[in-house]
Amino acid sequence: MMKHGLDPGDRHRPERLSLSELTARREAMERFLHVASPQLDQLYNLVCLSGCNVLLTDAEGVVLDQRMNDADAAQFRDWGLWQGADWSEAVQGTNGIGTCLVEGRQVTIHRDEHFHTRNIGMSCMDAPIWGPDGKLLAALDVSSARADQTERYNRLISAQVAQTARAIEAVFFRASFPEARIVVASDEGGDASMLLAVDKDDLAIGATRAARRALGLEREGAIRPRPAADLLGRNDDMSGFDKAERAAVTRALARADGNVSAAARALGIGRATMYRRMARLGLGEKQS
């Protein structure tokens, strides 16, 4: 009320963008929406029987995509849970989408926890989606206005929303670094959302928000390329050049299925030289 000048008793529906404005926003995030679409389908298949509406917004809280039962479409449209609607906290006050984006964390806003009285019949479960640059990219929401939907059931949906949001984040991160290897940067059993993109020179060139936080990398934007081994704590006694040479020899042997002569030819060196280098680098003749 004080910050945004909102009236909790205001009965007006959420403002909606024009078709051209919505189209422009969707086009700006076309690649992300394409990647997220199968995950939205999967989430909807899990919650559709409970009369839920699955929505995906941009970082400003504008609904860009959604999934719902056709029988519920008219009701959701009347509530403003529709593509092009603005559910930012500045416009709607406390609500699942807007509050999730403001706080940058998973939230559940259950019925009368909403700011506007017209929204107190809803339960909204939301999770943020972070982009490959570490910036807040979107919010994933599941909303329902069923009177019999309990807080316990909301917790089950909320867990699925969070899992789907992390899946979308990971898939989009991988798509953003198509030429890189994607490495999970957490220990066994750790956070699977801690991903690094590693180039052909074994330099980390990208990191998810979780990896940035855990590894002390730049919070947002491009990261300074660093040896992946340094970030992952893999130390050995070999110098940088020896590491590179050992990697090159190992790859050549693997490609040649352990045939030393063939590996030597691939590297452009003689067979005797190959054996000397293998001995110096501690490589056996047979490579699995």
Side-chain angles (χ1 to χ4, degrees), residues 36 53 60 78 194 228:
N53 188 0
E60 296 178 352
D78 185 61
M194 287 175 50

Side-chain angles (χ1 to χ4, degrees), residues 2 18 25 45 48 65 77 87 108 120-121 123 143 155 161 164 191 208-209 230 258 287:
M2 296 179 63
S18 67
R25 288 193 181 232
N45 287 336
C48 62
D65 202 0
R77 182 192 286 271
W87 280 88
T108 295
I120 62 174
S123 293
S143 292
R155 286 196 294 270
V161 170
T164 303
D191 189 349
T208 59
R209 180 175 182 269
D230 292 355
Q287 299 295 314

Side-chain angles (χ1 to χ4, degrees), residues 191-249:
D191 189 349
S193 67
M194 287 175 50
L195 302 178
L196 289 177
V198 180
D199 69 8
K200 57 183 176 56
D201 297 317
D202 288 325
L203 295 177
I205 57 173
T208 59
R209 180 175 182 269
R212 289 167 183 258
R213 295 179 65 181
L215 301 175
L217 303 176
E218 292 85 348
R219 183 174 179 177
E220 294 182 354
I223 69 170
R224 176 175 59 82
R226 299 166 172 83
D230 292 355
L231 294 176
L232 299 174
R234 296 172 183 169
N235 300 314
D236 56 45
D237 297 328
M238 299 181 72
S239 69
F241 286 113
D242 284 344
K243 290 178 184 177
E245 184 177 8
R246 192 179 198 278
V249 171

